[in-house]
Each structure stands twice: as structure tokens, then as C-alpha cells.
Amino acid sequence: MRELFESTIERLLTDLVTPDLIRHCEAGQWPTELWAAIEESGFAVAAAPEDQGGSGASWGDLVGVVKAAGRHNLPLPLPETMLANWVLGRCGLQARNAPLGIAMRSTLSMDGASVSGTLFDVPWGRDVEQVISLIPGEQTMLVVLSRRDAEISTKRNTAGEPRDDLGFKNATPIATAMLPDQWSDDLLWWGGAMLRTAQMAGALETTLDLSTRYATERVQFGKPISAFQAIQHQLAQMAQHTGSAVVSAEAAFAESNDQLAAWQIAAAKVCGAEAAGAVAAMAHAVHGAIGFTHEHALQQGTRRLWAWRSEFGNLGHWAQRLGRAVSQGGATSLWPAVIAGHLAALSPSPVETP
């Protein structure tokens, strides 16, 4: 199934996602035709169970789709929609083949059948049809809200992607459900972090490819700059960082089934965030000033790397969290955690957003 997903999404995005389209989207345009093609492909609902309108695909099957979204700088909330439908399906709600938002932070509260509060930093909040969020309590409640009921405060991240605040006052949810007992209040936080690891992995692959091709084509002093040892050293370092990010993201997705793999997600976010900073810096050093120009494809990827490395927890947040978990587990727990991929002190639980 994974091979079919990867070949299909790669053909779709290669044909439809162009640098010009990305620039138009950063200027505020919603790519209607591109989203229609994604809806027709079924990727938006692929992670939902079959009996809830999805394909029943695992995250291991879908990691290539999320990587492709990052590799092509997809200007749409496809990864977030996949996560939202995965959560909806496992809460017994029907999947929605429409652009969905997820709220990484919120102040929502329920008063009877009405919901009030603010959802912060919702990806493409101004454009999604519906947004899901969690309301903690004796048992955490999942709520599905309509974007049309919200007062929207528009914002963008470094890459020009919408990250909007949605305010609700006495709004009636489209649907509600109780979160399964084994899932925690910050499920969307962990899921969003997992998505960003694969998106960064894909963007890193593109950045490395652009830099390698430019170094072999750019001639200086009568020979390609790839012949210079300093450039070779930078390209080698970029390849090492990219490989680390790709492997760690693959592990995070492969180990996340009905439960998200906390150890692998945290480690992958650290690897990806560290690689994003290092690779973006070296890529621009290889390209020189041309890589910063608005017309060049490099900056479209590096700006996303700079944005995604901080979303759903930055490098410091996840490094500290891993460190605290290892310290709490004690010296004898570290090696078993490495080989087993699990540390009891590290699990999805309510955390303070950095």
C-alpha cells in the first residue's frame, strides 16, 4: 500500500505544485484545483478506519505522503487533515473529505451544549471547513467546530503559511465524542510534532538535491564548485543530517499505530529540528546570494524548515523533555529504552507549550 501511495502522491504533486503556485498561495490564494485533486485521490481520509469512510492506512503506510508534502512545499493542510481524520475515526466519528484544521493550543470550554474560547495557531485556519480540538476534563472531549462560527485573527509563519487564531463564543459543535481512555489531552500536540518530522525530512531531501545540482552546475575558476573541498564537506554534512532526519521520521511513523510512539517522535523532532537549521544554513552558503531571491526555489523550502522546526515544540523543548525522561528513568533504563524504543517516563501527557 505504501508504494502505491507514494507513487500516486508524487505524480500528483509533481504535476500540480509549482513555484508560481506556491508564491500565489503565500500571497493569500487558496489552490482550489489542487485541493480538488487531493480530495479525489482520497489521501485526506486515508488514515481513518474503513468503517468511518477512510482507507484504514497506517502511519507507516502514509509517511511517504507526508514527506512528499514537505518535499514539494505543499501549500495545503493535507498532513493536518490526515491527522484530524485519524483522530475522528478512532473516536467513532465519520471522516471528512475536506480541509480540516487542528488546534495545538486552545482555551476552549463547554457550557451545556455550547463552546467558547480560542484556538491558537491553526494551520490554514481561515481556509479549513472544520477544525478539531480537545477539551480536558474528567474525560477529554473531542469537539468539531465550523470555521464559519469563528472570529478569525490571521497570522502567518516564517514560510508564509497561515497560522490563524479562531475565537468562538457560544458556538454549537458539529460533533463531539469522548477521547479513548488510552489517549492523552495533548494528543494533537504529539501528532502534529510527528507530522512535522516527516515534512522536514521531505524538505531536507529537496534542499540537499537543489544544493548538489547547483554545485555541479555552477562553474568558478574553470571548474564546478562541487570540486572544491569546502563545498564537498558541506554537501557531505548536509547528507548526514538529512539521512538522520529521514530515518528518525520513518521510525516515528512506523512505531505509531493506535498509540503515538512518544520516544520515536521526540527523538525525530530533535533530529529534524537540528538538521533543519544546519542544512538550511549550508544550502544558502553553497548557493550564495541567489538562494535568497524570491524567484529561486531554495528559499521556499528553507523558510519552511525554519518554521516547521519550531512548530509543535522546538529543539530545546524536545531535547529537554527527552533529557528529563532519561534522568527520571535512571541510568539503567537508557540502553533498554534505546533498543526497545520505549521509556516509561516519556509519554504523551499534558505539557506546557513553549
Side-chain angles (χ1 to χ4, degrees):
M1 185 180 288
R2 174 173 174 170
E3 291 181 0
L4 175 62
F5 285 160
E6 290 185 357
S7 61
T8 303
I9 193 68
E10 191 64 32
R11 288 196 304 270
L12 190 155
L13 299 187
T14 298
D15 291 342
L16 297 179
V17 180
T18 64
D20 284 341
L21 175 68
I22 295 171
R23 283 191 283 270
H24 289 314
C25 292
E26 290 180 5
Q29 176 180 316
W30 173 260
T32 304
E33 293 183 6
L34 177 57
W35 182 261
I38 287 175
E39 279 193 0
E40 185 178 356
S41 71
F43 285 119
V45 297
E50 292 185 34
D51 59 356
Q52 299 296 342
S55 301
S58 69
W59 286 119
D61 294 327
L62 295 170
V63 60
V65 176
V66 184
K67 280 174 59 182
R71 188 162 50 247
H72 291 273
N73 305 315
L74 178 65
L76 285 171
L78 173 60
E80 291 84 358
T81 299
M82 292 166 62
L83 175 62
N85 276 318
W86 179 74
V87 175
L88 288 171
R90 280 155 181 78
C91 289
L93 298 177
Q94 194 72 11
R96 290 154 167 77
N97 197 14
L100 302 178
I102 58 173
M104 60 186 85
R105 294 185 296 126
S106 79
T107 60
L108 289 187
S109 61
M110 289 202 72
D111 183 9
S114 299
V115 175
S116 298
T118 302
L119 306 179
F120 300 100
D121 303 319
V122 178
W124 281 271
R126 72 198 69 174
D127 299 307
V128 298
E129 293 292 329
Q130 300 165 12
V131 59
I132 71 168
S133 186
L134 302 176
I135 302 178
E138 291 185 7
Q139 186 174 4
T140 301
M141 176 174 288
L142 170 73
V143 294
V144 183
L145 297 166
S146 171
R147 180 256 304 167
R148 293 176 175 81
D149 294 334
E151 181 178 339
I152 302 174
S153 176
T154 59
K155 302 184 300 182
R156 292 181 180 271
N157 64 11
T158 305
E161 298 174 317
R163 296 292 185 265
D164 303 325
D165 295 343
L166 276 60
F168 295 89
K169 186 174 181 180
N170 297 323
T172 301
I174 295 172
T176 62
M178 292 300 177
L179 202 66
D181 291 336
Q182 67 271 25
W183 284 2
S184 64
D185 295 345
D186 61 345
L187 171 73
L188 297 178
W189 177 265
W190 284 84
M194 183 181 72
L195 295 178
R196 294 295 182 262
T197 66
Q199 288 175 272
M200 286 191 291
L204 287 164
E205 290 177 332
T206 295
T207 302
L208 175 61
D209 181 60
L210 287 171
S211 300
T212 303
R213 285 195 284 118
Y214 180 80
T216 58
E217 295 169 356
R218 176 75 167 91
V219 176
Q220 190 72 29
F221 304 113
K223 57 183 178 181
I225 63 173
S226 60
F228 294 97
Q229 188 174 12
I231 300 297
Q232 293 173 354
H233 181 65
Q234 287 180 313
L235 293 175
Q237 285 187 301
M238 291 170 66
Q240 291 172 340
H241 278 294
T242 300
S244 174
V246 169
V247 170
S248 61
E250 291 271 357
F253 275 70
E255 296 297 324
S256 294
N257 297 306
D258 290 335
Q259 289 272 27
L260 297 179
W263 172 270
Q264 288 82 359
I265 291 172
K269 197 62 163 69
V270 169
C271 290
E274 186 175 38
V279 171
M282 286 185 281
H284 281 289
V286 170
H287 281 80
I290 191 174
F292 287 99
T293 60
H294 189 65
E295 293 77 15
H296 202 282
L298 179 66
Q299 51 82 27
Q300 292 181 337
T302 54
R303 283 189 291 112
R304 282 162 176 79
L305 287 172
W306 287 323
W308 294 340
R309 65 178 176 173
S310 296
E311 292 184 343
F312 299 99
N314 58 22
L315 172 60
H317 169 81
W318 289 107
Q320 290 173 17
R321 187 151 190 181
L322 277 171
R324 286 196 299 268
V326 169
S327 298
Q328 184 178 343
T332 58
S333 68
L334 177 57
W335 180 244
V338 171
I339 60 176
H342 174 72
L343 189 64
L346 181 70
S347 61
S349 60
V351 295
E352 184 177 338
T353 304

